[in-house]
Amino acid sequence: MAEDLLIPPSGKIIPHLTGSLLAVAFLTSFGSSMLYGYNLAVVNSPAVYIKDFYNKTAVSRNGTGLSGETLTLMYSLTVSVFAIGGLLGSLIVGVLVARFGRKGTVVKTTVLVFFAGSLMGFSRSCGSPEMVILGRFITGIHSGISLSVVPMYLGEIAPKNLRGFLGLVPSIFIGTGVFAAQILGLHELLGKEEHWPLFLSVVVVPTFIQLMLLPWFPESPRYLLIEKHNVHATITALKWYRANCNIQAEIEEMQEEQRSLSSVKTLSVWNLLLDDTVRWQVLSVVVINIGMQLSGIDAIWFYTNDIFENAGIPTPEIPYTTAGTGVIEIIAGLIGCFTIEKLGRRPLLVGGFTMMGICSAGITFTLILQTHLSLMHYVSVCCVVGIIAGFCIGPDVSWVLLLLDLRQHLSVSGRLCLHGHTRDQKQDIHGDKPVVLQEGARSRDPVPSTGGSAEAEED
């Protein structure tokens, strides 16, 4: 009998972080969540080389190069198609987790990364810009899936007192992915022209490590019991993830949750918006996501080099300055992760958005005054760092937990769709705008640009 495997009650349950929990959190975040951050920043440093590849391919095919507007449009598509793929991934993740489970979805979707990495890695050899764009689209699909399923998987395998901490580990690895792209993009590593296809396709390495190790770990106990009704497998999974813990109490708690879910009507996204009982909760999530969409943080990530160039940072120093922002991002994410349970969601959200607003206004004034005061160049860099730090301390680590509060009212597929759609819509809004606006500003500027990127484009 499965009940014979249960540990008898032995007093108060005090779960703690075990090696298995830590290993799963590391593997899923390292092989999935980190790729999202990496792909946000990977197209930044090789932008000139990618545009040059597109132009040379057009010359070899048609005998003439691309116009500046067409080249800008193609590069903007390369950047923003990642977000379009993410939107698609967020729409299908609910079906995937219901059919394959949480861990099963993470493992099975690794094939997308290998396929996309192959396309981007061999794009220059095949002389096909389409392979780069398609590869970016497929990595976007994988990231859209991972952004939803990884926090869900970690939240379900973690005990209550560690659920917030483990649920925010992916956010730290997203920042780590951005930092990894900034470091590998340095000229001393993969920042040379001959290495940019490898730079784009290196995402297969962490995914391969994840694929080799993650299948050895159990599926989510909550999924096994509530959705698969497999008590024996649930007990085995709990014994794997727990140490000196009253497993019987956790089983009874999940069974109680199962009974409550069966007696409460789960709502679709549309019906949830019309439900008066959770209107303020839904309004909070919507307002926070509107703030994230309009904050411009993805524009900062996508076009950090161009922002620093316009701020007057010498071209050879820009990659190192950008890498420094990656360190700030990781530190800010760690601060938010370790303080959110003590300070609460609201103070971090309000403080983070306030810091971002002040720094965004600061960038506007510094760009206006930098032609008159050389000190404004450094103030502008500090404002960029402040925007990134404010986002990672507050909004980036808080809004996911607010969305999880709707678990009893919103279906799994609806919650995951809402989670992924809002982030990927935010990328799509900001993904292709700054470069177009910059090109438009340059075309109206009577003084020729002397930046490195502009010279490379003219060549």
Side-chain angles (χ1 to χ4, degrees):
M1 295 291 294
E3 287 76 5
D4 296 335
L5 298 174
L6 297 174
I7 298 177
S10 56
K12 186 178 180 180
I13 303 174
I14 308 179
H16 59 275
L17 186 63
T18 63
S20 298
L21 284 173
L22 195 60
V24 171
F26 176 83
L27 284 174
T28 53
S29 301
F30 176 72
S32 295
S33 301
M34 191 175 74
L35 305 189
Y36 169 71
Y38 185 87
N39 283 298
L40 280 178
V42 72
V43 292
N44 202 349
S45 58
V48 174
Y49 305 139
I50 294 175
K51 291 178 182 179
D52 185 58
F53 167 64
Y54 289 173
N55 194 49
K56 288 181 178 178
T57 303
V59 171
S60 63
R61 291 179 179 179
N62 307 320
T64 58
L66 298 173
S67 64
E69 293 79 6
T70 304
L71 198 59
T72 299
L73 181 61
M74 286 191 64
Y75 178 71
S76 299
L77 178 62
T78 305
V79 173
S80 59
V81 76
F82 174 74
I84 299 174
L87 176 59
L88 177 60
S90 69
L91 294 175
I92 64 175
V93 65
V95 178
L96 294 177
V97 296
R99 180 172 181 179
F100 301 114
R102 285 53 161 159
K103 186 199 75 173
T105 299
V106 174
V107 172
K108 290 182 179 353
T109 53
T110 55
V111 66
L112 296 174
V113 180
F114 292 118
F115 183 49
S118 300
L119 287 173
M120 294 184 291
F122 293 104
S123 58
R124 186 174 60 182
S125 301
C126 299
S128 175
E130 296 83 2
M131 293 174 65
V132 179
I133 297 174
L134 181 59
R136 288 278 297 171
F137 176 72
I138 296 174
T139 55
I141 296 176
H142 177 266
S143 293
I145 296 171
S146 299
L147 279 175
S148 299
V149 71
V150 170
M152 182 182 188
Y153 179 38
L154 296 181
E156 291 185 359
I157 67 174
K160 275 187 175 181
N161 62 320
L162 296 174
R163 198 164 291 166
F165 172 77
L166 287 183
L168 296 175
V169 170
S171 296
I172 298 175
F173 273 86
I174 290 174
T176 305
V178 174
F179 179 64
Q182 293 166 346
I183 293 297
L184 291 177
L186 296 176
H187 186 75
E188 293 81 356
L189 297 176
L190 299 180
K192 299 179 181 179
E193 181 177 5
E194 61 269 21
H195 292 153
W196 70 262
L198 176 62
F199 185 35
L200 295 181
S201 60
V202 77
V203 290
V204 301
V205 176
T207 303
F208 177 77
I209 296 174
Q210 181 193 73
L211 183 61
M212 292 295 101
L213 299 178
L214 187 59
W216 297 97
F217 291 87
E219 180 58 84
S220 160
R222 184 180 181 277
Y223 169 79
L224 293 172
L225 182 65
I226 296 180
E227 299 190 32
K228 292 300 181 181
H229 310 288
N230 191 334
V231 179
H232 189 280
T234 303
I235 296 171
T236 303
L238 283 173
K239 294 182 71 174
W240 184 284
Y241 291 124
R242 303 289 186 269
N244 302 323
C245 180
N246 190 341
I247 295 179
Q248 183 174 1
E250 287 207 48
I251 294 285
E252 293 174 353
E253 181 181 345
M254 285 189 286
Q255 289 175 335
E256 178 64 27
E257 181 182 355
Q258 183 181 23
R259 287 190 290 269
S260 65
L261 289 175
S262 62
S263 62
V264 176
K265 180 182 178 182
T266 48
L267 305 176
S268 64
V269 176
W270 175 251
N271 290 332
L272 186 73
L273 296 176
L274 302 178
D275 190 349
D276 295 335
T277 60
V278 291
R279 178 158 296 172
W280 283 108
Q281 294 94 317
V282 174
L283 184 62
S284 299
V285 173
V286 171
V287 170
I288 291 170
N289 277 284
I290 290 175
M292 292 177 66
Q293 289 182 14
L294 300 179
S295 68
I297 184 64
D298 284 304
I300 296 289
W301 276 328
F302 280 136
Y303 303 103
T304 306
N305 287 6
D306 291 334
I307 293 172
F308 286 156
E309 179 184 343
N310 292 336
I313 302 297
T315 302
E317 299 178 9
I318 288 178
Y320 303 97
T321 308
T322 303
T325 64
V327 177
I328 298 297
E329 184 175 347
I330 296 175
I331 295 174
L334 288 171
I335 293 174
C337 185
F338 284 105
T339 58
I340 191 169
E341 296 297 338
K342 294 182 179 180
L343 299 179
R345 280 67 160 161
R346 186 174 181 272
L348 290 182
L349 281 169
V350 174
F353 276 126
T354 302
M355 186 175 180
M356 293 179 70
I358 294 173
C359 292
S360 296
I363 286 183
T364 302
F365 287 110
T366 55
L367 291 177
I368 294 174
L369 299 176
Q370 67 183 6
T371 57
H372 306 286
L373 299 174
S374 59
L375 181 64
M376 292 295 103
H377 297 317
Y378 303 100
V379 177
S380 178
V381 173
C382 292
C383 289
V384 171
V385 172
I387 291 174
I388 295 175
F391 178 78
C392 294
I393 288 176
D396 193 38
V397 300
S398 301
W399 79 281
V400 177
L401 297 181
L402 289 175
L403 185 59
L404 291 177
D405 292 338
L406 298 176
R407 184 168 70 181
Q408 292 183 347
H409 303 277
L410 187 61
S411 65
V412 171
S413 59
R415 190 170 68 252
L416 294 180
C417 176
L418 183 60
H419 174 278
H421 173 75
T422 48
R423 290 201 71 153
D424 292 306
Q425 187 184 47
K426 171 170 62 71
Q427 298 168 36
D428 197 28
I429 288 175
H430 294 291
D432 60 345
K433 300 301 184 296
V435 68
V436 176
L437 294 177
Q438 286 179 10
E439 293 297 330
R442 288 174 181 171
S443 66
R444 292 190 299 269
D445 192 354
V447 181
S449 173
T450 58
S453 298
E455 291 174 359
E457 290 174 24
E458 290 172 3
D459 292 338

